Amino acid sequence: MARMNCKCGNILSTTQVPNDIELWVYTDKEWEDIMDCEMLIPWEIPLPTYDVWMCPKCKRLYVFEEGNNVPIMSYVLEND
């Protein structure tokens, strides 16, 4: 996936690399497994389980699973 519309109307796109939309988010266990290796080679670091996109306009987060083009979760900031 490289493009989608946020619920706030902003267009999110990850076609440009690097970009400010896609976040690299690892669980603590995933990160520990990466750090446990003997020698860390950057291009051999596995991708995280979840792909997370953040809208720069409303800060809403969209969480995708590998192979799924539809978010499995979304989060929005609460208003006080």
Side-chain angles (χ1 to χ4, degrees), residues 54-73:
M54 182 182 69
C55 177
K57 185 175 178 182
C58 70
K59 305 300 184 210
R60 183 178 272 113
L61 296 176
Y62 294 94
V63 181
F64 300 87
E65 276 184 318
E66 183 179 338
N68 193 348
N69 292 336
V70 177
I72 60 167
M73 293 177 262

Side-chain angles (χ1 to χ4, degrees), residues 21-32 34 45-54 61-65 73 75:
I21 304 298
E22 193 169 23
L23 307 175
W24 295 89
V25 180
Y26 291 88
T27 66
D28 189 46
K29 170 120 178 53
E30 288 174 324
W31 193 248
E32 285 297 318
I34 292 168
I45 296 174
L47 293 175
T49 301
Y50 299 104
D51 190 14
V52 180
W53 290 22
M54 182 182 69
L61 296 176
Y62 294 94
V63 181
F64 300 87
E65 276 184 318
M73 293 177 262
Y75 299 90

